[in-house]
Amino acid sequence: MKSNHEHFLFFMFIQLIFTVNLESAKSPDVKIYSTSPIGPYKLVFKQTYSANPAKNYKLKYNFYFSHKDNKTTLFGNTTMHVPFDDTLFLEVKIAMKDAYGSWKENSLMHKWQNACSTLKQFAGNIWTASLYGLGINHTNCPLPTGFYIAPGIDILQY
């Protein structure tokens, strides 16, 4: 049985896909600035981090953002000692900044079974491009074990 820590490893990856999907639904000529808990939202990516990089997890990532030329690009690497498949769970925990500038942790929390299939369905049209941008040249579930170097993905291009 997998521990909750192992399932939590792809939290930031899932959050990235979730927020990119929200951003892609927005028209490019519409400026959205809202603190409403039900949206719409303006997405700003500032940083990403691992749950606990000192632990020896079976799924690890080391991502960072580059902000150049009005683009936000995600770079880094992923190490998967086990396949990313449907035996895993996806758990999303998202923080929201309130009108006073304070972060409210766990504003949105959700957990799904069948991690790979659920993520693929949720990502929709951006699944293939996202995986290639993360250095994973395999687009069917399960995603195989290995060390993947992300050549870069412009997270707001969709």
Side-chain angles (χ1 to χ4, degrees), residues 59-75:
L59 303 171
K60 300 179 192 179
Y61 63 89
N62 180 25
F63 294 131
Y64 64 94
F65 290 115
S66 172
H67 303 279
K68 291 183 183 175
D69 302 325
N70 292 325
K71 288 174 39 174
T72 301
T73 307
L74 181 73
F75 293 102

Side-chain angles (χ1 to χ4, degrees), residues 13 16-17 20 74 123-136 139 150-155 157-158:
F13 178 69
L16 173 66
I17 296 300
V20 166
L74 181 73
N125 295 336
I126 64 171
W127 172 256
T128 300
S130 296
L131 288 177
Y132 288 156
L134 294 171
I136 302 171
T139 59
I153 180 169
D154 179 358
I155 61 171
Q157 73 180 352
Y158 301 103

Side-chain angles (χ1 to χ4, degrees), residues 20-31:
V20 166
N21 215 14
L22 284 176
E23 182 70 16
S24 67
K26 184 180 88 171
S27 172
D29 57 342
V30 174
K31 299 290 184 203

